[in-house]
Amino acid sequence: MAWMSNQRASSSSSSSSFSPTRWSYDVFLSFRGEDTRNNFTGHLYTALCQRGLNTFIDDELRRGEEIAPTLIKAIQESMASVVVFSENYASSKWCLDELACILDCKESKRQIVLPIFYKVDPSDVRNQRGSFGVALSRHEANFKSNNSSSSMDRVQRWRAALTQAANFSGWHFPDGHESKFIHNIVEEISLQTSNRTYLKVAKYPVGLESRVRDMDELLSLGENDVRMIGIWGLGGIGKTTIAKAVYGSIAHKFEGNCFLANVREMSSMPHGLVELQKTLLSDILGGNRKFKVTSVDQGANTIETRLRNRRVLLVLDDVDHRHQLDNLAGGSNWFGRGSRIIVTTRDKHLLTAHGVNLTYKVKELDFYESSELFSWNSFKRDKPPNDYLKLVGRAVCYTKGLPLALTVLGSHLCGRSIEEWKDALDSYEIIPNKEIQEILKISFNGLEHFQKEVFLDIACFFKGEDKDQIVDILRSCDLFPIISIRVLIDKSLLVINEHNTLTMHDLLEDMGKEIVRQESPAEPGERSRLWFHEDVYHVLTEQTGSTKVRGILINMPKKNDISMSAEAFSRMKNLRYLINLNASLTGNIDLPNELRLLNWYRYPLQSLPSNFHPKKLVALKMPSSNISRFERGSMKLGTLTSMDFSGCDKLEEIPDFTGFPNLEKLFLRECTSLVGIHESVGFLEKLVSLNLQDCSSLTRFPTRIGLKSLKILNMKGCRMLESFPEIEAGTMVLENIILKCCENLRNLPSSIYKLKNLRELEVRGCPKLLAFPMKENPENPSSSSHDYQNSLVFPRLEFLRVGDCNLSECEFLMPFNCGSTLTFLDLSGSSFVSLPEWTSTFGSLEWLILRDCKKLQEIPPFSMHKRNKHRWLQIFGKIFNTFKHFGTQLTGFSSV
């Protein structure tokens, strides 16, 4: 029992051990004021702040014997401490006490400590020689005269602190160029603090400490070999949580680090493995660098060649296929000495096959850990009230130590009375304990009917999808999705991540699918939902579908031709969702009219069936299909909100769309044969996004647009388009227009200036666009003298790109009322000689691109905001060097 008590104490202490540290400061500066405050340390502080590092510096004159509490607090709340050892550093008791406090925090909070030896020898600090030896001797003499043994202990603590700090890796500045020295220091500090990544581990990290210690033994960071360690076990057992905790505690000790989450799910997406490779390279090799990876093989080769000499920490979370390991961490020889690769998976054989010999099987929580975790979730404290002790014991027994089950059931019982607990626990007893999914199902059983339907639809079809798009689809099925999703989140059955994506744990997804499978274990055609490829194949080829089927997801493991008759879908009269991601279906196609979502990649026919009249269809997605025309019967879909025909290279015309009054998104990207779009598209009042990118044959577009809701218009690569439509007064919410590479575009209408909410305008690479329209004086339209005071336009414009358009003058910018908002201006390839004086009023401008402006001779002095000064100087410097390269003489150049 003594061992169990110790275990419980250890478990409790771990609840705060892995909570992410909230630092108040990035850097704390320790220095001797009279030595360096007004020179080196002052300059270092300025440079750190300019780099965006929140830095603490003590500006007050120090008095008294004891270090101020505010300084102790600042040290404790700083991610890194920089100690500037100078000639008189050790003569200050404050500085020495600061140093001792800093080293204590390094030990207790894993803080970064970086020494700078400013015009002093590191060995003098380490061994207390020179001025450091003299200062320590004086302190000892003063304390001896006072007969203070505690003070003598204080001196010994200082000596030990000086020796320890002098042994840390840092910088030595004997003399020379201080500016360059400071720059190098700031770069290194910035890198180290950015690498100190703390992931959110768990709300209640019970039992983590002992498991992380087990992992530390396997990691053996003191060894200089390359190690791959596998964490394996049941879904929901805590593999990812342990990996996050380990990662957060050791990431700062490596030259680069990366935590690749959800490898299994990401790899299943188109080009998903390539995107993972890009993320890995970018995270480890630093900053905002982008890596061009066009194939999995190329990405694997780049990882191997770029990381073989770098000491890295890499976590591959939730791996489920050998192919993922082969192309993300192919072998130990891919990484530099001292690297550590951690892989989490449910499949131990996957680790064995990849040669991962060091493995850690995650064990279930013991009874005391389970009790504590359950109590945190059900009572928000580490122990239950006495009158709930027996009930908690009963509940913990049912969970079998599975953290996810403890969390879900604890949340389910939170705030309920003893009688409700007893009643709920009595119901749990009829569920076999060996079936973990059945334990999770208890929360599901407490839902209303429509909430259950929403959960099952997400589990089977919509996990990983954007919440807003799915809400529209679910609403069309009368499932009240807003409240349903809120309830599912509250019951720990669903999560919406930072990208607005619907997610749930794998065990919960599996639970939902098992519920559906149990509807008809023997015959898939009698179930409400079909997603497993073998079941789908059976139902479509054997024609066993029924009115019970609500949705089908077709995702074959490899390309598969499915031959079916017209009756295959017609039997499923209640089909709501038809999602075909990759199967080639041959034969007659008869689509049910109850469909709300039709998503068919490479639909084989040239039009939708003539008898297809889906009155409740919300989303129609048929990318890369053979669609070439719209039948008359399919042109009245009043509920349709989203239409995607991207990549349909046989589609030539978009006809009258007045039958789609609720259409919000229209995607026609890469419809390379598309020639004309009907005028009605220009007046779809609810259209928010219109994407015509790379419709390279488009010549006819609505001559006028009055799209009251349109925010994004993308016409990039519409190479044959010659003119842009007139803007009706109602089109006021438009925020983003992209006209890049419209090679035949000759003019823009003056009505474009009606767009008061425009934030981004890109008209780059339009060589036939020689000038922008001028804004006429509203009182005298024929006047050649413009009243710009009354004609100000684009008050919210932030991004303007008109490069490579052969513009001969830039007077069109004069009425732009975006001096306080414009941050990016690209005038590249223009043929004007000078920038007018009034362009200097763009006070918020951060980027000015003047590439290939070969006739440019004069740039006016700019009045810059203080926050932009350094970026301006950098950009102007690049411009100046570029023009020298072209041999163009610049005059009037001014730096502020």
Side-chain angles (χ1 to χ4, degrees):
M1 290 300 293
W3 176 83
M4 292 184 177
S5 298
N6 290 337
Q7 284 289 101
R8 185 172 188 180
S10 174
S11 171
S12 298
S13 66
S14 69
S15 293
S16 59
S17 300
F18 297 98
S19 299
T21 304
R22 304 294 181 188
W23 304 112
S24 298
Y25 304 97
D26 295 315
V27 181
F28 176 93
L29 287 177
S30 175
F31 63 99
R32 184 72 166 108
E34 66 183 43
D35 284 354
T36 63
R37 180 189 300 277
N38 296 321
N39 42 69
F40 176 82
T41 300
H43 299 153
L44 175 61
Y45 172 76
T46 300
L48 288 167
C49 293
Q50 289 173 347
R51 187 57 186 268
L53 294 167
N54 186 15
T55 305
F56 181 91
I57 187 170
D58 180 22
D59 288 323
E60 298 180 3
L61 187 63
R62 301 178 175 186
R63 298 182 175 88
E65 291 289 317
E66 299 295 329
I67 183 172
T70 54
L71 285 182
I72 295 176
K73 186 172 185 289
I75 292 170
Q76 292 171 340
E77 295 177 356
S78 297
M79 185 189 307
S81 289
V82 175
V83 183
V84 182
F85 291 116
S86 58
E87 182 71 18
N88 296 301
Y89 185 94
S91 64
S92 167
K93 300 185 187 71
W94 275 58
C95 287
L96 294 171
D97 281 337
E98 263 183 17
L99 178 62
C101 182
I102 287 169
L103 295 181
D104 287 343
C105 289
K106 175 178 173 60
E107 183 66 24
S108 62
K109 294 176 173 288
R110 301 192 297 273
Q111 292 175 345
I112 302 169
V113 178
L114 300 167
I116 298 173
F117 304 95
Y118 182 75
K119 297 185 179 181
V120 296
D121 193 323
S123 65
D124 287 350
V125 180
R126 183 180 302 111
N127 301 310
Q128 291 92 65
R129 295 197 303 246
S131 62
F132 285 78
V134 171
L136 268 295
S137 297
R138 286 176 179 170
H139 292 316
E140 286 180 331
N142 290 335
F143 290 146
K144 284 180 179 178
S145 65
N146 295 329
N147 293 321
S148 174
S149 59
S150 60
S151 296
M152 294 301 294
D153 292 338
R154 188 178 173 194
V155 173
Q156 293 306 311
R157 186 181 180 217
W158 293 341
R159 288 188 180 276
L162 288 167
T163 300
Q164 184 181 355
N167 285 324
F168 294 151
S169 177
W171 300 271
H172 181 206
F173 182 76
D175 212 340
H177 198 290
E178 279 194 9
S179 177
K180 184 177 180 180
F181 181 68
I182 288 174
H183 173 78
N184 292 337
I185 291 173
V186 172
E187 288 295 314
E188 180 62 21
I189 293 172
S190 178
L191 177 63
Q192 290 209 33
T193 53
S194 65
N195 281 347
R196 182 59 70 91
T197 306
Y198 291 99
L199 301 175
K200 184 177 181 180
V201 176
K203 187 174 183 179
Y204 306 117
V206 175
L208 264 182
E209 193 163 13
S210 62
R211 289 157 178 81
V212 171
R213 281 200 302 268
D214 293 339
M215 280 294 296
D216 287 342
E217 293 182 12
L218 292 173
L219 288 163
S220 295
L221 295 185
E223 301 294 330
N224 203 31
D225 58 343
V226 178
R227 295 194 177 195
M228 289 191 178
I229 300 98
I231 304 177
W232 68 281
L234 175 69
I237 197 69
K239 301 181 296 295
T240 299
T241 301
I242 293 170
K244 285 182 177 180
V246 171
Y247 181 85
S249 65
I250 65 174
H252 63 285
K253 299 180 180 180
F254 295 82
E255 294 175 337
N257 51 75
C258 175
F259 191 105
L260 280 183
N262 304 317
V263 171
R264 175 186 58 83
E265 185 170 347
M266 289 295 297
S267 297
S268 67
M269 299 178 180
H271 312 296
L273 196 51
V274 168
E275 293 302 317
L276 287 170
Q277 291 173 328
K278 289 180 182 179
T279 301
L280 189 158
L281 289 165
S282 178
D283 284 1
I284 291 180
L285 294 177
N288 298 317
R289 297 170 65 178
K290 302 294 183 183
F291 291 86
K292 185 177 181 180
V293 178
T294 58
S295 70
V296 172
D297 290 340
Q298 181 204 351
N301 183 64
T302 303
I303 293 170
E304 180 180 5
T305 55
R306 296 297 296 272
L307 303 185
R308 63 173 50 153
N309 295 315
R310 186 176 287 260
R311 185 173 184 265
V312 305
L313 172 65
L314 172 62
V315 176
L316 304 178
D317 177 52
D318 195 18
V319 173
D320 75 335
H321 198 282
R322 173 82 180 272
H323 183 63
Q324 297 155 3
L325 288 175
D326 288 342
N327 291 285
L328 294 172
S332 297
N333 59 333
W334 283 28
F335 308 96
R337 294 178 65 80
S339 293
R340 296 293 183 267
I341 316 302
I342 300 173
V343 181
T344 74
T345 182
R346 299 181 183 187
D347 185 0
K348 184 182 180 182
H349 182 263
L350 190 64
L351 301 172
T352 303
H354 196 65
V356 180
N357 298 319
L358 296 172
T359 61
Y360 180 69
K361 182 181 179 181
V362 184
K363 299 177 181 178
E364 293 82 1
L365 298 179
D366 64 32
F367 180 82
Y368 293 109
E369 291 169 334
S370 297
S371 298
E372 182 181 352
L373 180 57
F374 188 84
S375 295
W376 278 114
N377 281 281
S378 53
F379 302 105
K380 311 305 177 188
R381 47 190 273 192
D382 63 344
K383 299 176 184 178
N386 289 336
D387 49 351
Y388 278 85
L389 278 173
K390 290 183 179 180
L391 293 172
V392 169
R394 283 184 62 190
V396 167
C397 287
Y398 292 125
T399 64
K400 305 301 181 188
L402 190 71
L404 181 62
L406 289 161
T407 300
V408 172
L409 296 181
S411 300
H412 175 72
L413 293 171
C414 181
R416 303 192 188 278
S417 68
I418 289 179
E419 293 304 313
E420 288 171 329
W421 272 61
K422 289 179 179 179
D423 209 33
L425 290 173
D426 287 340
S427 71
Y428 299 162
E429 291 180 353
I430 66 172
I431 299 173
N433 291 335
K434 64 180 181 180
E435 297 293 338
I436 297 172
Q437 290 181 351
E438 291 299 309
I439 296 175
L440 300 176
K441 189 178 175 182
I442 294 169
S443 291
F444 175 84
N445 287 338
L447 300 173
E448 300 289 345
H449 172 73
F450 61 88
Q451 295 165 358
K452 290 179 179 179
E453 294 297 302
V454 169
F455 175 82
L456 294 176
D457 280 346
I458 295 173
C460 295
F461 303 126
F462 303 132
K463 180 183 175 185
E465 297 293 329
D466 180 77
K467 185 202 77 171
D468 295 335
Q469 294 185 22
I470 303 308
V471 161
D472 288 341
I473 295 170
L474 296 174
R475 183 183 287 116
S476 70
C477 298
D478 300 323
L479 292 179
F480 311 104
I482 300 297
I483 185 60
S484 297
I485 288 174
R486 181 70 258 171
V487 170
L488 294 177
I489 292 172
D490 290 344
K491 290 181 175 292
S492 302
L493 292 172
L494 187 68
V495 173
I496 298 177
N497 66 16
E498 64 273 18
H499 304 296
N500 202 41
T501 298
L502 298 169
T503 66
M504 63 175 62
H505 193 278
D506 293 347
L507 282 177
L508 294 170
E509 177 187 354
D510 293 343
M511 178 197 75
K513 290 179 176 179
E514 179 62 16
I515 290 170
V516 173
R517 194 187 70 82
Q518 289 295 331
E519 293 172 353
S520 176
E523 177 48 63
E526 296 295 319
R527 299 175 195 160
S528 61
R529 298 160 180 86
L530 300 171
W531 65 91
F532 184 50
H533 61 92
E534 292 182 3
D535 293 337
V536 170
Y537 185 86
H538 167 79
V539 170
L540 294 183
T541 56
E542 300 297 328
Q543 302 176 38
T544 61
S546 68
T547 56
K548 294 182 180 180
V549 181
R550 288 172 45 90
I552 297 181
L553 169 62
I554 309 174
N555 188 8
M556 295 297 172
K558 54 186 177 181
K559 187 176 180 180
N560 201 353
D561 290 338
I562 301 178
S563 179
M564 63 181 186
S565 73
E567 296 182 2
F569 287 126
S570 62
R571 289 171 178 262
M572 310 175 206
K573 295 188 180 299
N574 291 319
L575 192 67
R576 264 64 165 176
Y577 319 127
L578 174 53
I579 306 167
N580 181 7
L581 298 182
N582 59 4
S584 177
L585 303 182
T586 58
N588 294 321
I589 297 174
D590 192 4
L591 298 174
N593 286 322
E594 287 298 313
L595 281 175
R596 272 66 161 178
L597 166 64
L598 175 56
N599 184 351
W600 194 319
Y601 177 69
R602 293 189 174 177
Y603 177 75
L605 306 183
Q606 293 187 353
S607 66
L608 293 171
S610 59
N611 62 346
F612 181 49
H613 306 293
K615 296 181 180 180
K616 297 182 179 180
L617 191 69
V618 172
L620 178 60
K621 302 181 180 182
M622 311 194 85
S624 302
S625 297
N626 284 329
I627 289 284
S628 63
R629 65 184 183 276
F630 290 87
E631 297 291 347
R632 184 180 301 275
S634 64
M635 297 310 299
K636 291 185 178 180
L637 300 175
T639 58
L640 193 68
T641 62
S642 178
M643 181 184 290
D644 185 356
F645 284 89
S646 298
C648 294
D649 54 12
K650 294 182 175 60
L651 186 63
E652 297 181 359
E653 292 281 341
I654 296 299
D656 190 341
F657 264 25
T658 54
F660 305 141
N662 291 300
L663 194 64
E664 297 176 3
K665 297 177 182 178
L666 178 57
F667 300 122
L668 300 169
R669 181 173 178 165
E670 297 178 6
C671 292
T672 53
S673 298
L674 185 64
V675 175
I677 295 178
H678 193 270
E679 290 286 334
S680 60
V681 174
F683 292 90
L684 294 172
E685 293 191 353
K686 294 187 178 181
L687 193 65
V688 175
S689 178
L690 176 57
N691 191 333
L692 300 168
Q693 180 172 330
D694 295 326
C695 291
S696 54
S697 301
L698 184 66
T699 57
R700 288 182 286 106
F701 189 73
T703 56
R704 309 185 73 83
I705 57 174
L707 300 166
K708 296 181 179 180
S709 304
L710 190 68
K711 291 187 176 182
I712 301 173
L713 175 58
N714 185 354
M715 303 184 74
K716 174 185 176 182
C718 293
R719 301 180 185 278
M720 303 302 293
L721 192 70
E722 294 187 2
S723 62
F724 191 80
E726 289 288 338
I727 307 292
E728 295 284 343
T731 311
M732 289 300 184
V733 299
L734 192 56
E735 296 179 354
N736 190 318
I737 298 177
I738 303 174
L739 296 170
K740 181 180 178 181
C741 298
C742 294
E743 296 174 357
N744 282 287
L745 185 67
R746 297 176 182 275
N747 59 75
L748 295 173
S750 60
S751 59
I752 196 173
Y753 296 132
K754 296 178 181 178
L755 301 175
K756 303 300 182 183
N757 289 297
L758 196 65
R759 297 181 183 274
E760 179 174 341
L761 176 59
E762 183 169 3
V763 199
R764 183 185 176 195
C766 301
K768 295 185 180 180
L769 183 67
L770 304 181
F772 257 59
M774 296 301 293
K775 174 70 174 175
E776 294 183 346
N777 188 330
E779 297 181 0
N780 183 12
S782 62
S783 173
S784 59
S785 174
H786 297 201
D787 184 358
Y788 292 112
Q789 184 69 28
N790 297 322
S791 307
L792 298 175
V793 296
F794 298 155
R796 298 183 180 180
L797 193 65
E798 300 172 2
F799 183 101
L800 177 60
R801 196 160 205 165
V802 291
D804 303 317
C805 289
N806 288 325
L807 297 175
S808 59
E809 51 79 26
C810 54
E811 292 300 319
F812 70 90
L813 292 170
M814 190 170 181
F816 283 21
N817 187 27
C818 52
S820 62
T821 61
L822 191 67
T823 60
F824 186 101
L825 176 59
D826 180 5
L827 299 170
S828 299
S830 300
S831 56
F832 44 75
V833 176
S834 65
L835 285 178
E837 289 289 335
W838 49 262
T839 57
S840 64
T841 61
F842 294 145
S844 294
L845 202 61
E846 297 179 4
W847 297 95
L848 175 61
I849 311 299
L850 299 170
R851 174 182 49 80
D852 290 335
C853 293
K854 297 181 180 180
K855 295 183 180 181
L856 183 62
Q857 297 182 14
E858 185 173 357
I859 300 175
F862 278 79
S863 174
M864 293 166 290
H865 287 222
K866 185 176 181 181
R867 64 184 178 88
N868 293 334
K869 180 173 181 179
H870 293 278
R871 178 170 286 182
W872 263 104
L873 293 176
Q874 178 185 0
I875 297 301
F876 272 131
K878 289 181 179 178
I879 294 172
F880 186 75
N881 291 335
T882 300
F883 281 107
K884 286 177 66 178
H885 174 71
F886 283 108
T888 303
Q889 181 65 37
L890 278 177
T891 60
F893 179 81
S894 177
S895 308
V896 179

